[in-house]
Structure formats: C-alpha cells, structure tokens
Amino acid sequence: MTKWIYSFEEGHADDKAMLGGKGANLAEMTNLGLPVPPGFTITTQSCMQYLAAPSFFESDLKEEVLKAVADLEKKSGKFFSGNESSLLLVSVRSGAKFSMPGMMDTILNLGLNDLRVQTLAEQTSPDFAYNCYRRLLQMFADVVYGIPKEQFDELLAFFEKNSKKKVQEFSLEEHQALIDQYKQLYREHYQSFPQSSKEQLYAAIKAVFKSWNNPRAEVYRNLNDIPHDLGTAVNVQAMVFGNSDQESGTGVVFTRNPATGENRLFGEFLLNAQGEDVVAGIRTPEPIAALQKSLPDAYEDFLKYAAILEKHYKDMQDIEFTIEKGKLYILQTRNGKRTAKASLKIALDLVEEELISQQEALLRVAPATINQLIHPVFEEEALGQAALLAQGLPASPGAATGEIVFTAERAKECHSLGKKVILVRQETSPEDIEGMVVSQAIVTSHGGMTSHAAVVARGMGTCCVAGCGELTIQEENKTLVCGNVVLTEGALISVDGSSGRIYLGEIPTVLVENNQELQLLLSWADEVAALKVRANAETIQDLKTAVRFGAKGIGLARTEHMFFGQERILEMRRLILADNELETRAALKKLLAFQEDDFYQMFQTIGDKPMIVRLLDPPMHEFLPKDPLEIEQLAAKLRKPPETLARKIEQLQETNPMLGHRGCRLGITQPDIYKMQAEAIFKSAIRLSQEGLTVKPEIMIPLIAEKRELEAVKHFLVQHIDKLFRQARIQPLPYEIGTMIELPRACLIADQLAQEADFFSFGTNDLTQMTYGFSRDDIGKFIGAYKDRDILTFDPFQSLDQTGVGQLMKIAVSKARQLKPQLPIGVCGEVGGDPASIPFFQEIGVTYVSCSPYRVPAARLAAAQANIQQERQ
Ligand code: PEP
Ligand code: MG
C-alpha cells in the first residue's frame, strides 16, 4: 500500500521529490536533533493523485491524515479538537521539489475557532488570541476560497480608524466585533469558515494541492523550467508563536550574504510577529545583528544551529526561525537563492573552508548566471555627475536605466513596444512576476532584503532596490514622489542595485571587466574541461574581448563581416557589378589591401592562439542596395548607368538565397574572391612570421555538400598559396584547410569529406535550418505559436536539437573519426555557446565549441561541468 504521509522523523534530505524541498529539510533537521516543531508531510504524489481525481482525498488520504494528526497530538501533548486547555494549532504550507518562493500557499494558526480562541485568550491574552484568529480567517479565506486578502485589510483599517485605536489596543469586544465582520465577509462571498479543526485542515490541504495549478505557479515553473507534473507536498506542523510577546519573534536569515556572498549572517527579524510579516514586507524588519541585543540567548542558539546546518548541507542556508517566549525553533532551511556574484564567492569560500572540493565548486555555479558577472555598471564619471533621487536597500546588484511604470501589466505592455522599463511598486507580490521578468530593474518603497521583490529579483539576476522609504509610490495615479520631485509614468530613472541608489535620468553603462574570483573558478574549469572554448570574432575589439574572457582561439572569423564598412562595401559592390576584367582586378586589389591589413591586425591580436578564418559565405546580393535612390547614388560612384545597374542587381536576386549561390558555390564560380582572401591571409601571415610571430593560418570553406566541391576549392587555394610562398621566397608556413559541416548531406558523407579536410566545424545555424527546413531568419514568426502549443519546447537555433540535428552530428563525428581519429571537430553555430547543449557536444566527441566572446566564460564553465558529470557517470 502506498504511504501518503511521512512524519518528520521518517523523512530525509534526499526525499525532495517525494516530500518537497521544505518537507525533506524539515525531516533532515528533525533527525539532526534541531529544535523543529513536530509535524508531518503529505507527499507530492498525493497532490498529483488528488489533482487527477479529487475523490482520492476521501478514499485514500483522509484516514492517514487523521492518524497523522493523532500522532502529532501525542508528540506535542496538545489537542487539535475540542476545547481542552492544551490547544494544538498547526501551520499548513506547500513545498515542492524545487523551491518556488512566494508562488504557493500558507495558512497559519489552523485549528482555532470561536470557542478555542476564547481558551487561547484566557491562557495568553485577548490581543494575541484574536490576532491569531484574525490571521487564520484571512489566510484561510485567501487560500481556500480565493477571497482577496485586501478586503480583510480594509476592514481592519476601517475598524482602527473608527475606534481611533491600533488593533493591539482593541478590547475583547472590539476584537470579537472585528471577527464577526470577517465572517460577514465570508458570507458576502457565499462561504463560511468551518468551526471544526479537522474540516479546516481538510480544506487547507486540498487548497494547497490545487495551488500547484494556480496561474502564478505555472508561470514560475515555465520561467524556471520546472516540470508541471511534480506536484507539491503539504507540510502540517505544530504552530509555535513568534507573536506571543516581546520575548518572541520571527525571522529569515541567510548564513551568508546572498547578494555579495560575504561570510556573515544576513537577514532580518521582527519581534512579536508571525512568519509572514517578515516576507510580506508590511512591517520593516530589523537586521539580524540586532537580535543579539534584544534576545541574546536565542541569538547564540541561532548561531550554533546555523553553523550546524551550513556544515551539514555544505552550502549557504536560508533559514526561517521563530522564537516563542525566548525559545528558538527552526522552521525551515534550504540552500539559499543568491546572485551570481554571491554564488561564485560562496563556492570559492567553501573550497577554502575545505567544505567542498574544487570540482564541487565548479558544479555550484550555474553557467547561465556567469553573464551577470560581466554585466553593465554605471560609467564612473557619469555617475559622479548624476542627480541622486533616493537611497534604498541594495537588494540585487546591477545597473539599469528605464522608464518607470507602476504596474506589472503596464511593464508587459511597454516591454512589448520595445521600451526599457523599471517597475516601481510599494511592494511586489507573486502576481507581478511576469512584469518583473520584463523589467530592467525593480524598485519598491516597502519591504526589506528578504521581501518578495528582493528575493525574486536576485533569483532572476535583475537589478533591484527595495525598501526605499523616501519614495511615495502612488500606484493608482501613477506618480512617484520624492521630496520635491514628482515623476510620472515614462520618466527615466537609473537604478544601481549594488549601492541601492536611484538616480534621475539616464546614466550610460560599461561592461565590468573579468573579476579575479571568476578567473580563478574558470582556471579550475579549464583544468577540468575536455572541450576547449574558442570565440567567434573578427573585429579587433571582439578578438580582444575573446582573449580577455579566456577563449583558446578563434573558431570562426566570418570574413563577410569585414566588408561592411562604407569604403569596403563600395569596393565589394564594384567587384560584384564589374563589367570587365579590368574593373574586377581593380576592385580585388583594393579589397586585398583592406583584408591584408585586417588579417595582419587580427593575427597580431590573437598571437599564438589558433584562428580559423572562414572564406566568404553569404549570397552576393546581400552586399547590394535595394532602394532606388541608393542604386542611383551607387551608379554615380561606379560611373555606370543607373538602369543597367538596377537590372544587374535585379538579376542577382535569388528566390531562396539561403539555398542559393552562396558559400563554396561562390568560391567555385568566382574563385578570384577566395584567392584574394587567401592571398590576404598568407601575405599577412608571411609578414608576421618575418617579424618573428608564429602564425599558422586555418582556412575554412563554408557550405560544403559534396566532396568534389571541397577538392575543387582546395585545389585552387593550395596552388595559389604555394605561388605566394614561392613569390615570397620563403619555406612554406604550416597551414590547414578545413570545412564547415552545415548541411545534412555533409554529415552523411563526413568520411569522404574527412579525406580532404584538416578539420571540421559544425555550422549548426545552417545545419539546423537545413535539417528542420526552418528559415533561421523567419523562425521568430512561428516559434511562439509552436511553444504555446507545445510543438516545440525550445528554439533549436538557441539550444541544439539533440534528437534530430544532434543525431546527424553524431553520425558525422563517428564517420569522420573512423578515418581520422584525431580530426579536430568544432561547433561554431550559436548553440556552441549554449550551456545546455555543451554536455551533448562533449558526449559525441566534439573537440571545441566556439561562441560569441561574451558567452565564452559561461561556456568554459559548462564544458568543465560536462566533463565532471561525464566522469561521474
Ligand atoms: C552556421 O551556419 O552555424 C555558421 C556558423 O555560419 P553562419 O551563421 O555564418 O551561416
Ligand atoms: Mg552557416
């Protein structure tokens, strides 16, 4: 018989899939001997069973719940039903395998009713008891019936206003009157609050199950690639009360700073408060250090348990605690979410502290987050002159400028119009998630470093300033007031999430240089990785960036990109539109001079690292003007009649340019262009070698489908290169000629191509295009619809299609290696820099990947991770 419920004593940290992260950790902590209030976890499978057939609750689960409650009564020595003096109240919380902060639901103080609240009032105080009851009514209404929380807040505010008292000062009668009004609110929604504790519990459990499918949880899962069929567990736990008195409190603490990684407790607490008060951002909490003064014993205990938990989990923990009348309880622990910066620092520190190995540290940092470490900061000089608007808490680092918007909805609208927006709110809530995702930065006037805005922004790597009390944010009339400054929607501000400062207007940004910590981690990565990482680059700027980011060479220099400057494109056009040999020669001569100079500088910049130069690839007409006015201007420059020119341009248009006269096909029909390019490469290489630099040119031919294409191009190139060496009267320099593998046919005849090629490089952009038959330039028109309908779950131009395109690559590698076991094989399409595709490349035996310079660091880390994972299998 399936067991649907586990007491905390029965579970383990490894049971996350079954008990959810929260349940598994509560179990682990219980077994570690930490002060965890007793409880039990209803499994994630129960949730899926219930969602598939709600009758499961009555038929299978209910009896187990009753048994678990009886067990809990025994353990706590308290009673869940009846009006005995020892009242057992419980919390009910969701907890999935993967943490989904703020996405699902919690109910506290469950088990109170009209009678039990009186007992509690007698034992404690009316204020405490009714405060608990009020919260229960409000949370229960929200979670179980979907009655908006705000309606209860409004009632409370109305009562406070009428009585001119704060709720803490209410008399018993006033508390009761307020409770009556809360219940009236239920009736207005055609609902009632069950007086039976058990009925409350059943309803709460079912509501938590259902919350798995609420829209904001679905959005969160989509954003974080969490499968939809995992379900959530439900944790039922004896309540402890942080709102008992001034010796009580509650808090959320990270064992290290989740923004910077600094090894110091970081977090907040509120005295005399209950759990949700801290995260909800309604009262501004105090920093955890202040607990040492207010409740020193509890603080000491906390330090002790925090250290135990860090050592046990070997990672930074995010711990929720409650202190009831001076006694500390740990309510939750999990590996804390952190910024990329913190993730890096913590991983390195844990190695230093000998808690984890270097390999483990490499696995701890997600490659996708590396980009956040090479993201923009404000230009120092401009920052010095910028007008400071306000200062809040530096909740999530980064620097961003944008137009302010006041709602998530508006953020989405403006984003879809291509605007950069900054979401400004009093506080954010899970409903705002989609607006937060599209915002450059998030600013809140309320809440602390662990408020929803702060936690979610850090998770997303979005810049955030939270709790900026100087700002009055009026969401209804879309204004932000700060002193004398009044800003309305669309006003530009700049937000520095690292300092917490907000500035008026736009401030230019610069990219941060590689930092030392990152370099250290990546140097470990390079030692471990089997796949090398090169870069795709052709401008001097990009080559320098590539070297700075640790590229082991250049895997693809696209020479067509070198013809786009004003002067160059004119010569290119002269060449394409030449009417006779003389004109052709003249244009080629000029282009040769440009290219020779380019390659000279490129080889010089890249030094002794390898660089693959790909000969011209796109169809000729891509270089030609379309606009009649431009054609006329070109005709004047080339001294040709505009009509003739227009006709010639017209003739060069192709029906399917991507399948047309491009790549090696051009090389074959117009060998002079490829010869010119080879000449430029070798003349510069010869010059540099005479100056003492060792240069080993690697030339790559694009779009090969047939062995004889490669033979033909190679033949005239080799002849031409030999001639160049003879003319220079030098010993031939070593060089290589390789081919791109961009067509399905090339994959299938890879053994034949390997006979001719010194190396292969998969052009996965074209290979994906040609395998799917999806135009790489038009996929944007339908990929959204495909994803919506689950026809494709990802864009195959961004992440390799391992099932189709990947299989062709596998065939190609295996065929080629049968012939040449040592043949270097690279991947230089966009997916070469995709951390999710890199393990596959490693698996099929690719030698290196090549990607845009800014993706090199993440790819280096992904390559190391791929090797570690492969070796562990
Ligand atoms: C490719 O096709 O993957 C490739 C790298 O070449 P390009 O993108 O220039 O066509
Ligand atoms: Mg290509």
Side-chain angles (χ1 to χ4, degrees):
M1 216 180 80
T2 316
K3 185 169 162 63
W4 303 112
I5 298 183
Y6 288 76
S7 75
F8 291 168
E9 287 81 3
E10 291 173 310
H12 298 282
D14 301 339
D15 298 331
K16 288 200 172 61
M18 179 173 77
L19 302 178
K22 192 178 290 178
N25 284 334
L26 281 167
E28 187 78 5
M29 288 197 294
T30 303
N31 292 319
L32 276 175
L34 262 63
V36 177
F40 57 87
T41 304
I42 308 174
T43 63
T44 53
Q45 291 94 320
S46 314
C47 171
M48 294 318 285
Q49 289 283 339
Y50 174 78
L51 292 177
S55 60
F56 160 80
F57 191 88
E58 290 294 326
S59 60
D60 292 65
L61 196 61
K62 200 167 170 179
E63 220 176 287
E64 270 203 53
V65 171
L66 286 175
K67 274 196 211 132
V69 168
D71 185 42
L72 195 55
E73 285 180 321
K74 235 187 257 152
K75 275 181 200 147
S76 62
K78 295 179 180 173
F79 298 94
F80 192 48
S81 316
N83 199 18
E84 284 85 356
S85 53
S86 286
L87 303 179
L88 171 64
L89 304 185
V90 298
S91 65
V92 177
R93 297 174 209 252
S94 59
K97 177 177 174 188
F98 299 106
S99 124
M100 298 166 60
M103 286 303 127
M104 290 188 295
D105 294 314
T106 295
I107 304 180
L108 303 179
N109 311 331
L110 204 118
L112 276 180
N113 60 21
D114 292 350
L115 279 179
R116 281 161 66 93
V117 70
Q118 287 178 21
T119 311
L120 191 64
E122 283 157 21
Q123 286 169 359
T124 58
S125 70
D127 178 45
F128 171 75
Y130 281 92
N131 189 11
C132 290
Y133 196 27
R134 222 173 12 83
R135 283 163 189 266
L136 168 63
L137 284 166
Q138 182 170 11
M139 287 191 230
F140 192 90
D142 175 33
V143 174
V144 178
Y145 298 129
I147 306 173
K149 302 191 267 290
E150 295 72 26
Q151 297 188 1
F152 292 90
D153 289 337
E154 281 162 20
L155 262 180
L156 173 60
F158 178 78
F159 259 65
E160 284 186 328
K161 199 169 155 207
N162 262 5
S163 64
K164 299 198 179 62
K165 282 190 207 164
K166 285 275 159 211
V167 67
Q168 301 88 303
E169 296 146 10
F170 280 10
S171 67
L172 179 62
E173 291 68 32
E174 283 165 327
H175 274 304
Q176 281 170 338
L178 181 57
I179 295 286
D180 282 345
Q181 285 307 308
Y182 271 29
K183 288 205 264 177
Q184 175 60 26
L185 199 52
Y186 272 71
R187 283 191 287 279
E188 283 167 21
H189 288 270
Y190 306 101
Q191 303 293 357
S192 66
F193 177 71
Q195 289 294 310
S196 146
S197 311
K198 285 176 187 159
E199 291 304 326
Q200 290 171 17
L201 182 59
Y202 302 152
I205 293 170
K206 290 180 198 171
V208 171
F209 283 160
K210 284 191 226 155
S211 74
W212 176 254
N213 282 339
N214 75 30
R216 59 178 206 258
E218 278 183 13
V219 169
Y220 188 90
R221 289 200 294 273
N222 286 338
L223 282 173
N224 292 282
D225 284 333
I226 299 176
H228 292 291
D229 61 357
L230 300 179
T232 177
V234 183
N235 299 294
V236 179
Q237 188 175 24
M239 284 294 304
V240 283
F241 295 97
N243 53 342
S244 297
D245 53 22
Q246 286 302 325
E247 300 260 290
S248 305
T250 183
V252 181
V253 172
F254 291 83
T255 52
R256 299 174 192 231
N257 186 315
T260 63
E262 190 194 359
N263 188 3
R264 235 170 63 178
L265 284 193
F266 173 93
E268 299 154 329
F269 74 100
L270 278 170
L271 282 183
N272 203 355
Q274 216 168 27
E276 303 316 291
D277 296 343
V278 180
V279 269
I282 295 161
R283 276 168 63 188
T284 300
E286 287 192 72
I288 187 65
L291 184 66
Q292 190 170 15
K293 272 212 192 98
S294 352
L295 297 171
D297 290 347
Y299 182 75
E300 284 308 313
D301 279 351
F302 184 81
L303 287 186
K304 189 172 80 194
Y305 295 129
I308 292 177
L309 286 172
E310 254 213 1
K311 283 227 165 61
H312 183 71
Y313 285 100
K314 300 185 186 342
D315 201 357
M316 181 260 263
Q317 296 298 294
D318 165 0
I319 303 171
E320 284 178 24
F321 68 88
T322 284
I323 303 165
E324 186 184 65
K325 301 191 172 149
K327 173 156 173 45
L328 175 75
Y329 292 92
I330 306 290
L331 296 189
Q332 185 178 173
T333 193
R334 57 186 168 195
N335 293 341
K337 293 216 180 291
R338 62 204 77 178
T339 61
K341 187 173 171 201
S343 155
L344 176 63
K345 177 156 171 51
I346 291 169
L348 296 181
D349 285 354
L350 291 175
V351 173
E352 186 90 16
E353 293 160 30
E354 295 182 1
L355 275 179
I356 61 172
S357 65
Q358 285 186 3
Q359 288 211 350
E360 194 56 44
L362 285 165
L363 295 173
R364 290 283 174 93
V365 181
T369 64
I370 293 276
N371 290 343
Q372 292 170 29
L373 298 171
I374 49 177
H375 261 184
V377 293
F378 289 129
E379 246 178 49
E380 219 168 291
E381 208 174 305
L383 193 61
Q385 288 158 14
L388 183 67
L389 175 70
Q391 161 96 50
L393 302 170
S396 177
T401 294
E403 297 181 16
I404 58 173
V405 290
F406 293 87
T407 62
E409 201 49 39
R410 198 67 193 127
K412 279 196 291 176
E413 281 163 22
C414 294
H415 174 76
S416 68
L417 299 174
K419 292 188 181 167
K420 292 198 156 127
V421 294
I422 292 180
L423 181 62
V424 175
R425 297 198 46 79
Q426 289 178 1
E427 59 193 283
T428 61
S429 70
E431 284 82 16
D432 294 330
I433 187 83
E434 287 177 276
M436 296 170 80
V437 173
V438 299
S439 298
Q440 305 297 310
I442 296 155
V443 172
T444 62
S445 53
H446 293 46
M449 294 293 272
T450 52
S451 62
H452 178 264
V455 172
V456 173
R458 278 198 294 273
M460 298 190 303
T462 303
C463 158
C464 173
V465 172
C468 188
E470 293 172 65
L471 305 180
T472 307
I473 295 169
Q474 296 162 349
E475 285 154 13
E476 341 53 71
N477 52 14
K478 299 184 181 173
T479 49
L480 178 159
V481 183
C482 184
N484 299 330
V485 183
V486 179
L487 300 178
T488 51
E489 186 178 287
L492 270 181
I493 61 169
S494 296
V495 179
D496 187 337
S498 311
S499 67
R501 296 200 178 100
I502 302 169
Y503 300 87
L504 285 171
E506 182 171 6
I507 308 176
T509 53
V510 285
L511 285 160
V512 205
E513 293 285 290
N514 228 341
N515 68 47
Q516 279 181 352
E517 284 165 345
L518 180 58
Q519 278 180 9
L520 177 62
L521 187 84
L522 293 178
S523 70
W524 296 347
D526 291 349
E527 281 167 25
V528 170
L531 270 179
K532 299 280 169 267
V533 181
R534 294 193 185 187
N536 296 351
E538 47 281 324
T539 66
I540 299 302
Q541 179 79 20
D542 283 357
L543 290 171
K544 283 186 179 158
T545 310
V547 174
R548 208 173 66 222
F549 287 150
K552 297 286 169 290
I554 299 301
L556 173 66
R558 291 178 165 104
T559 50
E560 58 271 19
H561 289 186
M562 296 151 69
F563 292 118
F564 286 132
Q566 282 259 329
E567 242 183 326
R568 292 156 181 235
I569 198 156
L570 178 67
E571 295 312 320
M572 195 63 187
R573 288 169 172 176
R574 197 191 300 283
L575 175 73
I576 299 168
L577 300 166
D579 284 319
N580 53 50
E581 184 70 13
L582 212 64
E583 283 178 0
T584 306
R585 293 275 146 234
L588 279 171
K589 197 169 160 201
K590 284 222 170 145
L591 288 170
L592 174 67
F594 290 137
Q595 291 250 279
E596 192 182 327
D597 193 38
D598 289 339
F599 290 129
Y600 182 84
Q601 288 189 47
M602 286 165 71
F603 281 128
Q604 211 173 31
T605 309
I606 204 74
D608 54 4
K609 296 191 173 60
M611 176 164 73
I612 295 182
V613 179
R614 182 186 68 189
L615 302 186
L616 201 66
D617 181 49
M620 283 300 177
H621 71 82
E622 272 193 19
F623 294 101
L624 298 174
K626 291 190 188 70
D627 178 58
L629 186 69
E630 262 192 90
I631 296 180
E632 223 166 278
Q633 287 167 345
L634 180 63
K637 282 189 191 144
L638 298 181
R639 304 216 172 109
K640 288 181 190 287
E643 311 73 48
T644 329
L645 209 64
R647 213 172 316 119
K648 197 149 188 181
I649 291 174
E650 175 79 38
Q651 281 165 4
L652 281 166
Q653 298 299 325
E654 295 186 41
T655 317
N656 286 315
M658 274 295 181
L659 302 176
H661 196 177
R662 58 173 282 223
C664 65
R665 301 158 203 173
L666 268 177
I668 287 169
T669 57
Q670 299 179 47
D672 283 345
I673 302 179
Y674 275 16
K675 282 192 207 162
M676 176 276 289
Q677 292 197 294
E679 190 164 332
I681 293 169
F682 281 87
K683 280 192 162 163
S684 58
I686 290 169
R687 245 166 78 200
L688 283 163
S689 67
Q690 283 165 345
E691 290 165 17
L693 193 84
T694 326
V695 177
K696 183 182 166 199
E698 296 180 34
I699 292 182
M700 183 153 73
I701 319 295
L703 228 64
I704 293 286
E706 169 61 63
K707 183 183 170 197
R708 287 159 70 96
E709 286 175 325
L710 187 56
E711 277 171 352
V713 176
K714 206 175 145 185
H715 179 72
F716 71 71
L717 282 178
V718 170
Q719 276 197 336
H720 195 64
I721 295 165
D722 282 350
K723 192 174 91 189
L724 293 170
F725 289 137
R726 280 199 305 278
Q727 281 172 354
R729 294 171 199 282
I730 62 158
Q731 278 295 320
L733 297 176
Y735 67 91
E736 288 183 357
I737 296 182
T739 179
M740 292 196 75
I741 303 288
E742 301 180 274
L743 300 170
R745 190 174 196 280
C747 294
L748 301 173
I749 59 153
D751 45 349
Q752 294 178 32
L753 297 180
Q755 289 169 14
E756 287 300 317
D758 296 323
F759 60 87
F760 276 6
S761 182
F762 285 105
T764 45
N765 301 335
D766 272 309
L767 188 58
T768 302
Q769 165 167 264
M770 307 291 184
T771 304
Y772 270 102
F774 290 166
S775 156
R776 58 198 263 192
D777 300 320
D778 299 306
I779 187 165
K781 298 191 178 114
F782 56 87
I783 184 80
Y786 268 42
K787 282 190 185 164
D788 288 348
R789 290 165 180 74
D790 271 345
I791 294 172
L792 281 181
T793 51
F794 62 98
D795 178 344
F797 290 100
Q798 285 173 20
S799 204
L800 183 81
D801 158 44
Q802 299 179 13
T803 345
V805 180
Q807 293 313 303
L808 283 168
M809 295 174 74
K810 204 167 162 181
I811 293 172
V813 174
S814 122
K815 284 187 169 236
R817 289 265 166 77
Q818 273 165 22
L819 197 92
K820 288 189 180 167
Q822 302 304 325
L823 186 79
I825 301 179
V827 174
C828 64
E830 198 55 33
V831 298
D834 171 44
S837 308
I838 285 176
F840 181 81
F841 299 141
Q842 152 108 12
E843 193 187 304
I844 63 170
V846 161
T847 327
Y848 66 88
V849 291
S850 189
C851 54
S852 70
Y854 283 109
R855 301 184 78 189
V856 167
R860 287 165 68 196
L861 180 57
Q865 292 182 348
N867 207 36
I868 297 170
Q869 303 288 20
Q870 202 180 45
E871 279 176 0
R872 285 190 179 181
Q873 270 165 18

